[in-house]
């Protein structure tokens, strides 16, 4: 299967040392004009602006100052707890793997380093990928995720992820089904405040409406606690399930409102154009400055 590509952008100036695609805060050898400055301060005679020098009221030599373009690390921070092992109309780990492969490929095409951090109760160091420019890193990691057995009882290990991200501000795709306590979501949001975080919510239609269409007995199991329960799935219960999911969606939107980007909800197979539309579409893609 071919790897999909999506396009992304940031709303802040990168501070990375390496040249790349994104607008940067530092001056350098780029083509984006920023301002004029005394030639002695710029110390680059190639930037001398004769016309601006002739207009300078103090009669000093003036040079043009340009902003360079820099690279930005792109990380995927993934929930690998047991609920992510759910298989409904689609397998969540398959969707995650497709997204990771696309993120690695898209970062390489943009000229950015790509990294991956996955966690259940702890950071899964066997899947840890520090930011790298190696092509194919995302595809190799995706193969390992497809074979991964998600059995963790929680996703509390996501709170440890910030120490793996480094000091340089990064674009972070936070991928989970967000069947998490809202207190954990808030704590995670605060831990990642240094970075530009995109919450990507993976849901499956069967979670919100149950299997089938008619009434009948169903046996449900909580993947993380292991507890089971038998319910009579009827129209009123389906409506209540749908409303619970709608309320949880609103709660997640409130949790991130004003504190970063709004969540992106995916309820089917991975489609790269959904991410492209998110970054280049409406206000939901706007990043904090």
């Amino acid at each position: 299967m071919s790897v999909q590509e999506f396009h992304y952008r940031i709303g802040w100036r990168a501070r990375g040392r390496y040249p790349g695609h994104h607008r940067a805060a530092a001056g350098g050898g780029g083509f984006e004009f920023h301002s004029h400055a005394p030639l002695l301060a710029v110390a680059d005679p190639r930037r001398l602006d004769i016309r601006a020098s002739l207009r300078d009221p103090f009669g000093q030599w003036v040079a043009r100052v340009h902003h360079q373009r820099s690279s930005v690390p792109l990380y995927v921070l993934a929930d690998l707890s047991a609920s992510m092992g759910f298989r409904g109309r689609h397998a969540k780990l398959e969707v995650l793997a497709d997204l990771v492969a696309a993120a690695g490929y898209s970062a390489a095409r943009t000229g950015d380093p790509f990294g991956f951090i996955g966690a259940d109760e702890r950071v899964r160091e066997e899947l840890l990928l520090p930011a790298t420019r190696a092509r194919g890193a995302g595809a190799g990691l995706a193969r390992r995720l497809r074979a991964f057995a998600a059995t963790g009882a929680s996703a509390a290990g996501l709170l440890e992820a910030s120490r793996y991200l480094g000091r340089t501000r990064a674009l972070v795709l936070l991928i989970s089904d967000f069947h998490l306590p809202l207190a954990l979501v808030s704590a995670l949001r605060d831990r990642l405040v240094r970075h530009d975080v995109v919450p990507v919510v993976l849901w499956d239609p069967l979670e919100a409406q149950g299997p089938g269409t008619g009434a009948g007995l169903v046996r449900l199991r909580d993947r993380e606690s292991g507890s089971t329960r038998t319910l009579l799935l009827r129209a009123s219960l389906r409506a209540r399930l749908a409303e619970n999911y709608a309320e949880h969606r609103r709660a997640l939107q409130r949790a991130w409102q004003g504190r970063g980007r709004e969540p992106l909800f995916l309820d089917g197979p991975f489609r790269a154009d959904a991410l492209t539309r998110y970054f280049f579409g409406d206000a939901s893609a706007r990043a904090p400055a």
Side-chain angles (χ1 to χ4, degrees):
M1 184 178 66
S2 61
V3 177
Q4 301 180 58
E5 179 183 7
F6 61 87
H7 303 281
Y8 57 92
R9 63 179 176 180
I10 58 174
W12 39 277
R13 288 192 177 271
R15 296 186 179 274
R17 296 175 297 169
Y18 299 99
H21 176 77
H22 310 281
R23 297 173 66 194
F31 297 99
E32 181 185 350
F33 175 73
H34 178 254
S35 62
H36 284 105
L39 178 61
L40 291 177
V42 176
D44 185 352
R46 296 172 299 177
R47 301 292 182 184
L48 178 64
D49 190 326
I50 298 296
R51 290 187 178 182
S53 299
L54 292 174
R55 294 195 302 267
D56 187 80
F58 301 103
Q60 62 183 344
W61 293 106
V62 174
R64 296 168 62 88
V65 176
H66 292 79
H67 274 142
Q68 68 178 23
R69 288 186 171 262
S70 297
S71 62
V72 168
L74 173 64
Y75 277 92
V76 168
L77 174 55
D79 173 3
L80 296 178
S81 63
S83 65
M84 288 291 289
F86 179 79
R87 287 179 173 270
R89 292 184 183 172
H90 310 280
K92 290 181 184 177
L93 283 178
E94 291 287 338
V95 178
L96 172 61
D98 289 343
L99 201 160
V100 166
Y105 180 71
S106 301
R109 294 266 293 174
T110 307
D112 292 333
F114 168 73
F116 177 86
I117 305 165
D120 41 32
E121 297 103 326
R122 59 181 177 83
V123 171
R124 304 296 300 219
E125 295 194 358
E126 71 272 25
L127 294 172
L128 184 65
L129 177 68
T132 177
R133 296 177 184 274
R135 291 183 177 272
L141 188 58
R143 287 192 293 270
R144 295 163 65 190
L145 286 170
R146 296 184 205 282
F148 180 76
T151 59
S154 78
L158 291 173
L159 294 173
E160 303 174 31
S162 58
R163 63 190 179 96
Y164 293 91
L165 290 172
R167 294 183 176 275
T168 302
R169 192 179 190 189
L171 178 61
V172 179
L173 304 181
L174 173 58
I175 304 173
S176 172
D177 55 15
F178 284 88
H179 294 326
L180 311 171
L182 289 177
L184 176 58
V185 174
S186 297
L188 182 58
R189 178 199 62 200
D190 294 342
R191 289 280 184 95
L192 299 173
V193 69
R194 177 194 297 270
H195 303 284
D196 184 359
V197 180
V198 177
V200 181
V201 185
L202 302 187
W203 282 351
D204 188 276
L206 291 187
E207 293 179 293
Q209 62 185 341
T213 56
L217 290 174
V218 294
R219 187 175 181 83
L220 305 177
R221 181 172 69 89
D222 187 312
R223 294 185 61 90
E224 295 183 358
S225 68
S227 61
T228 60
R229 188 177 179 184
T230 302
L231 296 175
L232 176 60
L233 192 60
R234 54 194 186 280
S236 60
L237 182 55
R238 290 184 190 276
R240 194 170 14 165
L241 283 172
E243 177 53 34
N244 287 344
Y245 264 78
E247 175 53 36
H248 190 47
R249 181 184 182 120
R250 292 189 289 268
L252 289 174
Q253 290 171 326
R254 289 193 296 269
W256 292 95
Q257 191 172 29
R259 301 292 296 274
R261 298 182 187 260
E262 292 187 10
L264 169 63
F265 292 85
L266 301 179
D267 59 359
F270 174 67
R271 294 286 184 265
D273 58 354
L275 270 168
T276 299
R277 286 196 304 270
Y278 178 87
F279 282 105
F280 290 88
D282 57 22
S284 67
R286 292 177 186 164

